[in-house]
Amino acid sequence: RLYQSGTIVEKDFEEAARLGGIVGIRKELPQDKGQNVGLIRYQRRFEYGFNEVSKTLFFRAEKEFVGNEKFNCADTPWNKYSKICTSIMIVDRTNSIGGMAFSNLTSLKSVSIPSSVKVIGDSTFSNCSELESIVFPDCIESIGKSAFSGCKSLKSIRLPRRIALIEERTFERCSNLTTVTIQGSLKSIGKAAFRGCKGLTAFTFPDGLTFIGENAFEGCDGLTSVEIPRTVKSIQRGTFLHCIG
């Protein structure tokens, strides 16, 4: 897709400065990316911009983007777009997306993650209630706790091959999630990882899985079929509590 216009205006600089991080640099995204969006540097660590036409937030970082689990989207200059931003594009070369970076963006529908990203932090997209789809590059090695909790419009996920652990509450309360495709060498499913995923009707655990955590599928009341391999050594209490399907 090609995004045009959407220049950052002076009031964006003023607000970013007020929130503590602007370094007064204004740039354009590379032309080979097909973007014409003004970017401003925030907290000396990365750049962001918003396209008013496409309702897209753009981010670019040489390495880490917001690598702090205490980070809160509500404290950022892009929080003002939380009710109108429908998509996020993270430009290549960013290798991690930190905790709570995009939590509570209630109009967000899609996210573009580049192949350079290896880590998605805790609660990064939590309570993005309109998020419908996300494509994980195979290079992703870690998805944090509660990363997609409360994404109730999310319908399907395909986990990257390098994911060995689904953390606690990663997909909790994704109530319309119907399909989970697991690839590679998954070893462990954490506490409440899929709790409240009422849309799940079946779940196939991969060979090599050894641990299923407490309340992992609690309240998945549409669940009628599971296949558990012999490699599983531990199923914690409440794993299938209230699975009445």
Side-chain angles (χ1 to χ4, degrees), residues 127-189:
N127 298 316
C128 292
S129 56
E130 295 297 314
L131 183 63
E132 297 173 349
S133 64
I134 186 160
V135 177
F136 297 113
D138 269 342
C139 58
I140 289 181
E141 300 174 353
S142 174
I143 301 174
K145 297 175 183 177
S146 301
F148 294 92
S149 65
C151 293
K152 61 183 182 181
S153 296
L154 196 62
K155 296 178 180 178
S156 65
I157 53 173
R158 185 180 182 89
L159 290 175
R161 296 181 183 278
R162 298 183 183 182
I163 294 294
L165 165 66
I166 299 177
E167 291 275 10
E168 295 180 10
R169 299 183 170 85
T170 299
F171 299 103
E172 184 182 31
R173 294 181 293 110
C174 293
S175 54
N176 283 301
L177 185 64
T178 60
T179 304
V180 178
T181 303
I182 297 174
Q183 309 176 88
S185 55
L186 185 68
K187 301 297 184 185
S188 178
I189 298 175

Side-chain angles (χ1 to χ4, degrees), residues 64 128 181 198 212 222:
E64 185 178 59
C128 292
T181 303
K198 299 178 181 295
I212 305 174

